[in-house]
Amino acid sequence: MTTKETPKACPAEEQPSVCTAPPASADPAASAPKTSRRDFLKAGGMLSMSTLMGTAALMTQSDDAHAAAEWAEHFQKNYRLMTDAEKAEARARLERRYSQEYGKQVTVDTTGPQPGVLMGYALNIRKCIGCRRCVHACVAENNQSRGTKPGEKIEWIQVLRMERGKFEQGKMDHGYPEGLGIQVGGNAYTPAGQVLEGQYHYTPEAVPEQDATYMPIACMQCEKPPCVKVCPVRTTYREADGPVVIDYNWCIGCRMCMGACPYWARRINLTSPVLPKEEMNPVTHYLGNRPRMRGVVEKCHWCLQRTRHGRYPACVEVCPVGARKFGNLLDPESEVSKILERKNVFRLKAELNTFPKFFYFYD
């Protein structure tokens, strides 16, 4: 004969499967486990992250170099926070991806700033003939987008064509309109020194033109760069040897840096860059001319893939009249230091106190 045992309370250290729980409430809703909206969202977020991490792990084991690099890049650190091992890993991934994508052996340099170097640039404003070879050399060297549709063409260097002219005594009384009490100067209606609409993409039959002077501009590599101050994700920063660079993988395309730059020096990839395989320069730098992606900002970096190995930037090398000079500002014997010492030098928009390391000079 068996006897029915009386249910007893479950000790805290025992499993609930072997004991009987306290009487449930008569209201099923009240007895059900309560889950707040915060707990639900947290659980959903953890699930999504776990799913992505798992997918990324699977993809990085893929033989597809492009897919592996894309996924790995989503989870990499800001370049400045990477260890040397992480930089080497990122470099290897990108080299595999680019080599496969462009059908040639692509290298991604990660050489950092050299001790005792502060890069500087000087341009003889009187020598420039407006040939724009610097623009074309920059595009070819730095893998800029060269499409024909709106938003596909990117050029870091702009050569402004300005109307040549002078102020004349005889025009002092040519103000307009007469009799309305509006005081204007008669010389206000001459285009001398003006950059007319579209005159930074001019295509002359021959240069220099008799009625024009030229003003090349690009990134000034400011010592106090406004673009760096406004970046919300710290993706752009000044390197120790002077150039202001961009970690393309961390750029969110907000364009705040473009609005802050007083020199019209930054460009954004509104569309996927158009870079033909046969025209792609395979010698790249991680912070320089490696292929960019849609939605990121880019700009001149003084050809880091060249200058950190003792070479001139492409625009300096190609200038047919020797108007462009480049060197180490900390070396008193460098060409650019001699120019600062001996020539008539000015900085563009010096009143903004951005302290550009790009100097204009004339003999």
Side-chain angles (χ1 to χ4, degrees):
M1 178 178 182
T2 59
T3 57
K4 187 175 181 180
E5 297 182 354
T6 303
K8 59 183 179 181
C10 177
E13 64 274 13
E14 292 185 13
Q15 296 298 320
S17 59
V18 298
C19 58
T20 302
S25 169
D27 181 4
S31 62
K34 293 185 178 180
T35 301
S36 68
R37 182 174 180 273
R38 179 184 177 88
D39 293 336
F40 174 78
L41 293 175
K42 183 178 179 181
M46 293 298 294
L47 178 62
S48 299
M49 182 59 69
S50 300
T51 304
L52 287 174
M53 293 292 289
T55 306
L58 291 173
M59 294 300 291
T60 52
Q61 301 301 319
S62 170
D63 292 334
D64 186 341
H66 184 277
E70 287 280 3
W71 278 99
E73 288 174 25
H74 280 294
F75 299 99
Q76 72 183 36
K77 297 178 183 175
N78 187 306
Y79 186 74
R80 285 183 293 178
L81 303 179
M82 287 185 186
T83 64
D84 290 342
E86 289 169 335
K87 289 180 180 178
E89 183 183 356
R91 172 184 183 173
R93 281 200 311 265
L94 291 174
E95 287 181 340
R96 286 197 305 271
R97 168 188 166 187
Y98 294 149
S99 297
Q100 184 184 73
E101 184 174 350
Y102 292 97
K104 60 179 76 173
Q105 187 61 43
V106 178
T107 59
V108 180
D109 187 19
T110 55
T111 301
Q114 302 302 301
V117 174
L118 183 63
M119 298 182 188
Y121 203 110
L123 192 149
N124 190 333
I125 197 65
R126 282 186 173 170
K127 279 192 172 181
C128 180
I129 59 174
C131 65
R132 301 183 77 242
R133 291 184 186 177
C134 53
V135 178
H136 304 312
C138 179
V139 170
E141 172 69 26
N142 291 299
N143 292 322
Q144 291 160 34
S145 180
R146 55 206 68 174
T148 56
K149 297 180 180 177
E152 288 183 343
K153 184 177 182 179
I154 288 181
E155 293 176 347
W156 294 347
I157 299 176
Q158 302 290 345
V159 181
L160 305 182
R161 181 191 185 278
M162 295 184 289
E163 297 292 311
R164 181 172 292 179
K166 60 182 180 181
F167 286 75
E168 300 176 0
Q169 179 69 30
K171 294 183 179 178
M172 293 293 287
D173 298 328
H174 292 180
Y176 175 87
E178 297 179 356
L180 298 181
I182 300 174
Q183 182 64 42
V184 295
N187 283 288
Y189 301 98
T190 60
Q194 294 289 322
V195 180
L196 304 181
E197 186 175 0
Q199 286 196 322
Y200 54 90
H201 282 308
Y202 59 91
T203 54
E205 295 182 358
V207 291
E209 300 163 280
Q210 290 185 350
D211 59 345
T213 55
Y214 305 95
M215 180 77 173
I217 58 174
C219 178
M220 299 288 151
Q221 317 294 355
C222 305
E223 281 289 277
K224 296 170 64 177
C227 54
V228 170
K229 293 180 181 178
V230 301
C231 179
V233 292
R234 300 292 185 265
T235 192
T236 184
Y237 55 95
R238 177 191 174 284
E239 285 275 85
D241 54 354
V244 176
V245 297
I246 300 171
D247 183 351
Y248 306 118
N249 287 92
W250 276 75
C251 179
I252 59 175
C254 66
R255 293 184 279 185
M256 292 185 68
C257 57
M258 296 177 68
C261 176
Y263 302 106
W264 191 27
R266 289 176 169 249
R267 312 282 182 267
I268 186 168
N269 291 278
L270 293 174
T271 62
S272 297
V274 178
L275 181 58
K277 293 182 179 180
E278 62 277 10
E279 298 179 15
M280 189 264 179
N281 176 14
V283 181
T284 74
H285 192 284
Y286 187 94
L287 296 172
N289 63 332
R290 69 182 172 101
R292 277 75 69 185
M293 51 290 256
R294 180 178 182 177
V296 303
V297 172
E298 60 181 64
K299 67 169 200 64
C300 167
H301 46 81
W302 283 347
C303 291
L304 289 181
Q305 69 279 4
R306 287 170 157 255
T307 52
R308 284 187 175 165
H309 297 281
R311 298 182 63 190
Y312 283 131
C315 53
V316 173
E317 198 169 87
V318 78
C319 182
V321 295
R324 293 172 175 269
K325 307 296 181 183
F326 182 82
N328 182 6
L329 293 169
L330 302 182
D331 178 5
E333 299 302 320
S334 71
E335 196 171 22
V336 68
S337 294
K338 294 294 185 184
I339 289 171
L340 294 182
E341 180 183 354
R342 300 173 180 176
K343 301 294 184 181
N344 299 304
V345 178
F346 66 94
R347 285 164 154 165
L348 200 60
K349 299 186 179 181
E351 72 279 7
L352 299 180
N353 292 329
T354 57
F355 297 93
K357 293 186 293 297
F358 192 113
F359 303 92
Y360 294 92
F361 72 99
Y362 54 95
D363 297 316

